[in-house]
Amino acid sequence: MAITYEFIKECKQTGARLGKVHTPHGSFDTPVFMPVGTLATVKTMSPEEIKELGANIILSNTYHLWLRPGEDIIEEAGGLHKFMNWDGSILTDSGGFQVFSLSDMREITEEGVHFRHHLSGEKLFLSPEKATNIQNSLGSDIMMAFDECPPYPAEHEYMKKSVERTSRWAERCLQAHTRPNDQGLFGIVQGGEFEDLRKQSAKDLISLDFPGYAIGGLSVGEPKDVMNRVLDFTAPLLPKNKPRYLMGVGSPDSLIDGAIRGIDMFDCVLPTRIARNGTCMTSIGRLVVRNAKYARDYRPIDEHCDCYTCKNYTRAYIRHLVKANETFGFRLTTYHNLYFLVKLMGQVREAIKNDCLGDFREEFFEQYGFNKPNAKNF
Ligand SMILES: [Zn+2]
């Protein structure tokens, strides 16, 4: 098997899992946050910097790489790792989420999805087989099954049909998968906020024996308490000896709350996207460095951070760069935000080891300001 999960221990206080995922390109400790490199690059960062800040796995988007430069070019280069000079692990999504979120002209059939290119309007078609073949060409360590991700909220009746189709598609992805020895394909549990459908979806997918499972269809606009409730009844449905991945989640509070509910892997564009907007995550809450009040502030972004950015540069300087649209400013904020989340997950793992993730959550939420009324939770 290409992907294996090594369970180390459970936090006695919360039930969170400490583990390790082994892939053909090395191992990573879980719970883990995976930086997103949509177009085979984590925007503004070099792969060497990503490694230096402590990330061992990144995510790339199948939909984007299929359209540009095309998976054949990447395959010819020797695969995505060689193409982008990243020797750590890579997870690719299936393209399903982008088809459903970026394109408004689409038609879903049993065979697959017809839709239009989100920029050019060109007619395109993606199916379970096609999404699997593209990921086989990219050569990612972890591939995702092609699924339907209905918007929130959706009717139970529609969601049931969708879940059943997603299960049939998952089976077709497994059949189309040509490299099971060096790429692990994960199934995606759907079902929206409905407990019976999550159960059905998990049961269908577990019967297909994937090496790992994702929980999809969350972080699509639902309130946080809905997400936590769905995780409360969905995570326990999944096998204990396989990794569990919560897709599209990356705010500090949701990472901690997800880990507490037994999630091992997370990804999100949030830290990199807000960085390019001049917004930083810090140990005492979010800091919008482009604000005027930082014009003469010669302290680092986060006085408790020991990242490259915080060791060397001031709020005043970074504010100036970001205001002037200088690339270096975006590099500095991106570096800090990714470092912040990678370090946070290290703290989460340490707390699980010491059976005190519940206490850690309390302290972190208090310091970060998540307990305040009207707290801006990203
Ligand atoms: Zn920093």
Side-chain angles (χ1 to χ4, degrees), residues 323-334:
K323 292 275 291 178
N325 260 327
E326 283 291 342
T327 311
F328 189 47
F330 305 129
R331 281 167 53 80
L332 291 173
T333 51
T334 301

Side-chain angles (χ1 to χ4, degrees), residues 97-273:
F97 182 77
Q98 280 73 28
V99 168
F100 292 101
S101 61
L102 291 179
S103 175
D104 43 343
M105 293 270 293
R106 61 176 173 265
E107 188 204 346
I108 307 167
T109 67
E110 186 60 29
E111 193 47 34
V113 188
H114 296 271
F115 60 100
R116 286 185 185 275
H117 190 298
H118 68 285
L119 300 174
S120 71
E122 178 196 352
K123 278 189 182 170
L124 297 165
F125 177 69
L126 206 53
S127 66
E129 289 77 14
K130 180 78 189 162
T132 306
N133 295 340
I134 298 169
Q135 294 181 82
N136 282 150
S137 297
L138 297 175
S140 47
D141 300 276
I142 300 176
M143 307 163 39
M144 300 305 299
F146 187 69
D147 62 334
E148 181 185 353
C149 185
Y152 175 86
E155 298 288 325
H156 185 277
E157 194 189 334
Y158 182 83
M159 194 58 93
K160 186 170 166 54
K161 279 192 191 130
S162 166
V163 158
E164 288 165 357
R165 185 165 44 219
T166 287
S167 295
R168 290 192 296 274
W169 283 0
E171 201 168 350
R172 281 166 53 191
C173 289
L174 268 181
Q175 279 163 5
H177 186 13
T178 56
R179 302 175 58 185
N181 293 328
D182 46 16
Q183 294 181 275
L185 175 66
F186 282 21
I188 306 176
V189 175
Q190 290 285 354
E193 57 184 313
F194 306 108
E195 189 169 358
D196 61 325
L197 298 182
R198 289 281 176 182
K199 267 190 185 151
Q200 184 186 338
S201 178
K203 186 169 157 261
D204 291 350
L205 297 176
I206 290 167
S207 75
L208 297 172
D209 198 23
F210 287 95
Y213 294 90
I215 299 175
L218 290 176
S219 201
V220 290
E222 78 284 1
K224 294 225 169 178
D225 58 317
V226 171
M227 175 158 86
N228 285 334
R229 189 169 51 80
V230 172
L231 290 178
D232 279 333
F233 59 66
T234 307
L237 302 170
L238 301 174
K240 284 197 158 46
N241 60 347
K242 301 201 172 158
R244 303 163 178 178
Y245 162 31
L246 175 56
M247 307 178 82
V249 166
S251 66
D253 55 335
S254 297
L255 291 173
I256 296 172
D257 282 340
I260 285 175
R261 286 164 177 81
I263 301 299
D264 308 307
M265 301 164 62
F266 304 86
D267 82 284
C268 193
V269 294
L270 181 81
T272 41
R273 180 175 287 167

Side-chain angles (χ1 to χ4, degrees), residues 302 305 307 309-310 336 339:
D302 185 344
C305 180
C307 83
T309 300
C310 293
H336 166 81
Y339 185 91

Side-chain angles (χ1 to χ4, degrees), residues 281 300-302 304-311 332 335-337 339-340:
M281 299 173 170
I301 296 277
D302 185 344
H304 302 287
C305 180
D306 57 355
C307 83
Y308 162 76
T309 300
C310 293
K311 275 192 298 201
L332 291 173
Y335 193 105
H336 166 81
N337 279 356
Y339 185 91
F340 180 81

